[in-house]
Amino acid sequence: MYTTLLSQLQQWEWPFWALLCRLMQAAWFSSILLFVLQRSFQSVSRSLAFGKTAVLHAAESPASSEEVGQTPTSQSTTSDVRGLRRRPNAIPLETAAPSTSPASPEFAPVGGVIGFFVDRWISCRVMWTTAYAFGFCYHLIITSLVLYLYLGLMNKRTLLLYALVLLQTGRRLFESLTVTRFNTKRRMSLAHVLLSLGFYGCLSTSITSDYLHEYAVGGGLIQLADLSNRALFFCACAFGVASIGQHHAHRILAGLRSASSHENRYRIPHGILFHWISAPHYLCEIVIYATFLALASAPSVSLWLVFCFVCVTLCVMANETHQWYLVTFKAYPHRWRLIPLVF
């Protein structure tokens, strides 16, 4: 049975899994590159917009310097820019009613065929519920097929990896349906939906293609590279603690908003997880994907790229969330963005 499966995988199915493995690696690398380029372009655009606004603001109200016989300096322009960044929403209270959620700038509609994909017309609840439902169902199907076709080739670390990914997608689906209170005014584009579907689809596909590809290349020797029971237990515990911490953080964030669907007021989050950092749910997400990487069959290039993609995106989002808190709440306490004493 074992020899037959290995022979079949090497002779007939290896080219398919090898091609799929390379496609997944190219997709993840392209995603990282595109995300970095998009965020860089967005930062440059915001800087230019702030600069133009500062110049207009200085031109419209020159009395503060001309009335006392002074000329405006570059220092005053810089202070104007800082003031524009902080004055509109900075309030001394712990409640605010922002137009958008943290790290979610508004964009003008494009319209037409392109606008159908990039304009924001889909609610956040529909987007994330669809993404998590797809991720859970797709991974369940992939797991069932792999167990049915290649159960004799699976080791303990790979079986645990499939189980933890299934638990992660299932928990996120449960939270989007019962815990999370989405901003009713915020909208996402169809492109966001397709990207989220592609993320979870590529995640499950990468796990399978990497393992079976390396297995076929190694002639079955990769099955010997299993983890000890103690290491498997440690990975399971790390995943459990991070999942509980993220779920607790999501409940705290959900409790900040009013239960009324028409109320979008927001407050400063407090709790043991928010005492040191502004985005503990992102830190827990990184720990979860670190356990996925530790359980992956080595060398798993695709999951390394998945982990890098998650780290890059969540670090950027944590920084934007932290900046949003500083701009929105004047009395925001001193906290790190994502990792205490580091970032």
Side-chain angles (χ1 to χ4, degrees), residues 237-251:
C237 289
F239 172 84
V241 171
S243 298
I244 294 174
Q246 189 180 51
H247 180 75
H248 180 63
H250 287 161
R251 285 194 171 275

Side-chain angles (χ1 to χ4, degrees), residues 269-287:
H270 293 283
I272 185 172
L273 296 175
F274 290 93
H275 184 71
W276 296 282
I277 56 180
S278 296
H281 49 305
Y282 293 155
L283 177 60
C284 293
E285 186 91 0
I286 292 177
V287 174

Side-chain angles (χ1 to χ4, degrees), residues 116-315:
F116 178 74
F117 291 95
V118 300
D119 286 346
R120 303 193 171 206
W121 53 276
I122 303 174
S123 67
C124 290
R125 179 177 295 277
V126 172
M127 172 194 162
W128 289 115
T129 303
T130 302
Y132 295 136
F134 171 80
F136 177 78
C137 295
Y138 181 80
H139 188 72
L140 181 62
I141 293 173
I142 290 293
T143 303
S144 302
L145 289 176
V146 168
L147 293 180
Y148 177 75
L149 296 175
Y150 306 110
L151 180 59
L153 306 182
M154 297 288 108
N155 52 24
K156 292 182 293 184
R157 67 190 297 177
T158 307
L159 293 175
L160 180 60
L161 175 60
Y162 276 102
L164 295 186
V165 174
L166 191 64
L167 288 176
Q168 168 69 3
T169 53
R171 179 182 62 83
R172 299 297 284 125
L173 175 61
F174 170 78
E175 289 178 349
S176 66
L177 292 174
T178 62
V179 177
T180 307
R181 289 177 181 169
F182 297 95
N183 191 335
T184 57
K185 295 182 179 179
R186 187 182 177 190
R187 291 293 182 266
M188 309 299 288
S189 65
L190 183 60
H192 285 105
V193 178
L194 296 178
L195 287 174
S196 60
L197 297 179
F199 174 83
Y200 286 104
C202 290
L203 174 61
S204 301
T205 307
S206 298
I207 295 173
T208 305
S209 61
D210 261 27
Y211 182 79
L212 294 179
H213 171 249
E214 296 296 336
Y215 194 96
V217 171
L221 296 179
I222 197 171
Q223 190 179 31
L224 301 176
D226 203 354
L227 294 177
S228 63
N229 293 333
R230 182 176 299 178
L232 294 175
F233 179 76
F234 175 79
C235 290
C237 289
F239 172 84
V241 171
S243 298
I244 294 174
Q246 189 180 51
H247 180 75
H248 180 63
H250 287 161
R251 285 194 171 275
I252 292 177
L253 293 174
L256 298 179
R257 274 206 182 96
S258 171
S260 174
S261 59
H262 304 286
E263 186 73 24
N264 286 302
R265 299 187 67 84
Y266 204 81
R267 294 173 293 168
I268 297 178
H270 293 283
I272 185 172
L273 296 175
F274 290 93
H275 184 71
W276 296 282
I277 56 180
S278 296
H281 49 305
Y282 293 155
L283 177 60
C284 293
E285 186 91 0
I286 292 177
V287 174
I288 288 172
Y289 279 88
T291 60
F292 294 165
L293 181 62
L295 292 171
S297 56
S300 179
V301 179
S302 296
L303 282 186
W304 266 108
L305 291 174
V306 171
F307 182 70
C308 291
F309 176 78
V310 170
C311 289
V312 169
T313 55
L314 293 185
C315 285

Side-chain angles (χ1 to χ4, degrees), residues 35-104:
F35 179 82
V36 172
L37 291 176
Q38 186 265 340
R39 289 295 179 169
S40 300
F41 176 77
Q42 184 176 326
S43 299
V44 172
S45 300
R46 286 178 177 176
S47 299
L48 293 176
F50 276 124
K52 293 179 181 179
T53 307
V55 171
L56 293 175
H57 180 74
E60 292 176 357
S61 57
S64 59
S65 58
E66 293 180 353
E67 287 179 354
V68 295
Q70 299 177 353
T71 58
T73 61
S74 59
Q75 184 177 0
S76 63
T77 303
T78 304
S79 63
D80 287 340
V81 175
R82 293 175 180 173
L84 288 172
R85 289 182 180 179
R86 192 170 184 86
R87 288 171 194 157
N89 291 328
I91 56 179
L93 304 177
E94 284 200 358
T95 61
S99 59
T100 57
S101 298
S104 61

